Structures are given as structure tokens and as C-alpha cells.
Amino acid sequence: MRLSIFPLPGAILFPGLALPLHLFEPRYRALASDALARDRRIAMIQPQGPGDRLYDIGCVGRIGEVEAMEDGRYNLVLEGETRFRVLRELEVTTPFRQVEAEPIADAEFEVLAAVERAGFEQEARAFADAQGYSVDWDAVTRLDDQTLINGVSQIAPFDFAAKQALLEAPDLSARCELLIQLMQFFGARSEWPGGKVTLQ
């Protein structure tokens, strides 16, 4: 499949989740205009460092809410649909980059084993307490496994490479295990600012 991409460092989108974006650069305003005129889809992917090289895996999002401003800027919300793997970058005349990609067939309703879910929630509580986050744990316990694991993966204060590794995890169990390892690693560091964390 042919995808128009938005290569943004640190912006990770997971299937089933939402990502708000503010598009102000001319090339990405053109990207949004083109997507709205076609299928409303934009592919989010991280660049590897300051050059043009991309990571292999990203996530396609469909534009949900959109606010078009008079000066050409856009505020929009992307709703994650499916992960993809880049096959090659295409030579194009558009101001935005495009790639040929293949979708990654993730299981639609993945669940964790009870012991995996319990282990994750225990580690998440320890991490939140250590970092000074305020979390509505009653709301967390009501989330399904996919929303919980993917949601924490998307908003957690990890570095770009760690979040990319979470996106590339082959399944929900592997992502859960990696999240636990990352919380244990980053939880020993004190520079993360505290705050209120909300998962929806």
C-alpha cells in the first residue's frame, strides 16, 4: 500500500488510540489537505536521528476530529488503525514523503494472562508512585488489556528508541513484558516531572 507519512520524532501512535497533532509547516499542511481530500489517512513514523532515514515500523491513523484554521494550519486528531512496515520510500513530487508499505496483521482482540496483567499493574503502581504521578487506578482496572498496554506505551515518558521498541513488539504479551522492563529501568531515574496521567 502507498502511504503519505508524517515523520515526527517522539510521536508514537498505536492502533486503537488517538494522537492530537498541530500541523503548521507548509509540507504537512499539504499532507493534511491531501489526506482529507482522499481517505483521511496519515501514516505516523519516527525518523532515525536528524537524517532522512526512517524506522521500519509505524502506524496508520485516520483523521477524526479536524480544525482547519484560516491561515492554513490544522489541529487534528489521528485515530490509530494498523501498524505497517516500510518496504521502500517512493520518489514523489509532493512536498511530503510517501512510502510503499505492508500492513502488519495484529490480532484484533489480544488479551494478557491474569498473571501478566497483575504483574504489569503492580509495576505500574510502583513506577507511578516513584515518579509522583497521580493515576486513577479504578479507571485503569476497567481498561481492556490492549487499551491499557498500548495506552501506557504511547504516553509513557520513555525516550524515542524505547517507545519505538514498544511499537515494534510482536504482540501484546511481548509489549507488556518490555513495558515492565522499561518501568523498572526508568523508574530508578528521578528527572521525570510528576503530574496527572490519564488513559482513555
Side-chain angles (χ1 to χ4, degrees):
M1 59 181 177
R2 185 187 188 106
L3 296 174
S4 301
I5 61 169
F6 187 4
L8 185 61
I12 297 285
L13 177 63
F14 282 81
L17 297 179
L19 179 67
L21 294 171
H22 175 65
L23 305 185
F24 57 91
E25 289 187 46
R27 56 181 166 171
Y28 297 129
R29 285 156 42 183
L31 170 64
S33 297
D34 178 75
L36 288 166
R38 290 186 304 105
D39 59 4
R40 299 180 72 91
R41 285 173 173 82
I42 293 175
M44 299 300 301
I45 193 164
Q46 289 202 116
Q48 292 194 46
D52 289 336
R53 187 179 177 191
L54 303 169
Y55 279 103
D56 293 332
I57 293 177
C59 182
V60 179
R62 187 179 189 278
I63 298 174
E65 299 176 26
V66 58
E67 177 189 9
M69 302 183 181
E70 292 183 0
D71 61 2
R73 293 176 297 149
Y74 286 95
N75 288 322
L76 54 85
V77 176
L78 277 188
E79 299 166 352
E81 291 192 333
T82 184
R83 295 189 302 155
F84 66 88
R85 178 176 286 103
V86 174
L87 299 177
R88 66 186 180 96
E89 183 156 359
L90 301 172
E91 292 186 10
V92 295
T93 57
T94 55
F96 49 86
R97 298 164 69 181
Q98 298 180 49
V99 298
E100 181 182 347
E102 61 180 3
I104 297 174
D106 291 318
E108 188 173 356
F109 298 108
E110 287 185 285
V111 296
L112 299 172
V115 66
E116 290 178 308
R117 172 84 182 219
F120 173 80
E121 289 193 13
Q122 179 179 355
E123 195 61 45
R125 286 175 184 267
F127 180 80
D129 289 346
Q131 303 306 318
Y133 292 128
S134 173
V135 179
D136 183 348
W137 293 110
D138 288 337
V140 168
T141 59
R142 293 192 295 269
L143 295 173
D144 64 80
D145 293 343
Q146 281 186 312
T147 302
L148 175 62
I149 299 302
N150 289 346
V152 173
S153 296
Q154 184 165 306
I155 68 171
F158 305 145
D159 61 34
F160 298 168
K163 298 185 86 166
Q164 182 67 30
L166 287 165
L167 183 66
E168 295 181 4
D171 54 43
L172 197 66
S173 290
R175 188 169 296 132
C176 176
E177 181 179 351
L178 179 56
L179 258 181
I180 290 173
Q181 294 172 0
L182 289 169
M183 286 189 293
Q184 290 171 343
F185 174 74
F186 285 101
R189 301 164 68 174
S190 60
E191 64 266 31
W192 305 119
K196 184 174 179 61
V197 177
T198 303
L199 285 175
Q200 297 178 340

